[in-house]
Amino acid sequence: PPPPPPPPCDFGGRWAPLSLPGGGAMAALDAAVGGFVEGERAAARRADGAMAALMAAVETEARALWPGASVAAFGSRATELASGASDLDLVVVGVPELDQFAGASPDSQLRLLAELAPRLAAIPGVASAALQKSSVPVVAVVADAPAADADAPAADAAAPAPAAARLRVDVSLQTAQHSGLVAAEHVRCLHACLPALAPIVVVLKALLNRHHLKSAFTGGLSSYALTVMVARFLLHHQAFFAWPGAD
């Protein structure tokens, strides 16, 4: 059975239900949100080719350092929740030294990433490749996006103008504590069951990004945390839930 509805907020005994705008206003809001979300998705798609090429280059350098290693994507760009400002999250799988130990310390990961960082910095088009110390250490790569193809179809006039031509990629190492790939699979399952999840998350990510609150590294809210919060709200309200394949 569905969970019971939450109790109404109590503001010193004064409470009244929130009245929604009229149907015309709601339809206009729905159209505006839909147009904004499609514009953000179009902006994200414009970077797909360059991101894929950069991912292939990162994998080449990782394999040169650790034969047998591979690179996998997780995060927003792997779960169809990317906006125009979304970076690419990559994890290097199959690093021999990390496979031997269930609990790889951040220091050991930093040492291995320090070996990888100069190789990533040498990739053509990469402007910087800096180590970031955190609970999950990463190499933060910033690269110049290639110029737009003159033969490519013109962008939709309603789509937002592209931001600064920079690609941002965070590269981490797979360990027993790394949950990126598992989290991505979880988000894909939520995405399939909750049709409203993607547009709400894209709008809220843009709002957080505008106020510089989207990066967990600098004290903001991560995309995964935001997605889980929105999914919890939608799951609580059964009208937003849909089993995949159901009529």
Side-chain angles (χ1 to χ4, degrees):
C9 296
D10 184 1
F11 298 97
R14 296 183 297 274
W15 176 85
L18 178 66
S19 59
L20 295 176
M26 293 299 290
L29 176 61
D30 183 68
V33 169
F36 176 82
V37 170
E38 184 50 43
E40 286 292 305
R41 286 173 168 170
R45 287 193 296 269
R46 284 196 291 270
D48 282 350
M51 287 291 195
L54 187 53
M55 178 177 175
V58 170
E59 185 169 66
T60 297
E61 297 303 326
R63 284 180 172 173
L65 192 58
W66 305 300
S70 62
V71 170
F74 64 99
S76 299
R77 289 192 176 271
T79 56
E80 300 183 17
L81 294 176
S83 65
S86 295
D87 58 8
L88 175 63
D89 296 305
L90 299 178
V91 58
V92 182
V93 181
V95 178
E97 183 173 335
L98 296 183
D99 285 348
Q100 297 173 9
F101 303 99
S105 68
D107 287 342
S108 64
Q109 295 175 59
L110 282 169
R111 177 174 55 79
L112 293 168
L113 287 172
E115 298 177 28
L116 179 62
R119 290 179 170 273
L120 301 184
I123 295 174
V126 169
S128 64
L131 279 173
Q132 288 187 353
K133 299 180 181 180
S134 59
S135 58
V136 178
V138 302
V139 178
V141 176
V142 179
D144 296 320
D149 185 353
D151 297 328
D156 186 347
R166 284 294 173 98
L167 306 176
R168 301 183 185 277
V169 180
D170 289 340
V171 183
S172 55
L173 302 178
Q174 178 69 12
T175 67
Q177 293 78 31
H178 196 295
S179 59
L181 297 178
V182 174
E185 186 60 30
H186 179 218
V187 171
R188 281 190 284 268
C189 291
L190 292 173
H191 200 343
C193 296
L194 299 167
L197 179 67
I200 295 175
V201 168
V202 169
V203 169
L204 292 179
K205 283 173 64 173
L207 179 64
L208 290 174
N209 191 56
R210 174 174 295 184
H211 294 282
H212 308 289
L213 293 171
K214 189 177 168 294
S215 173
F217 182 72
T218 55
L221 188 65
S222 71
S223 293
Y224 181 68
L226 176 63
T227 302
V228 171
M229 288 172 61
V230 174
R232 179 64 186 89
F233 171 81
L234 296 177
L235 288 169
H236 187 78
H237 297 273
Q238 296 295 307
F240 294 106
F241 186 83
W243 285 109
D247 294 334

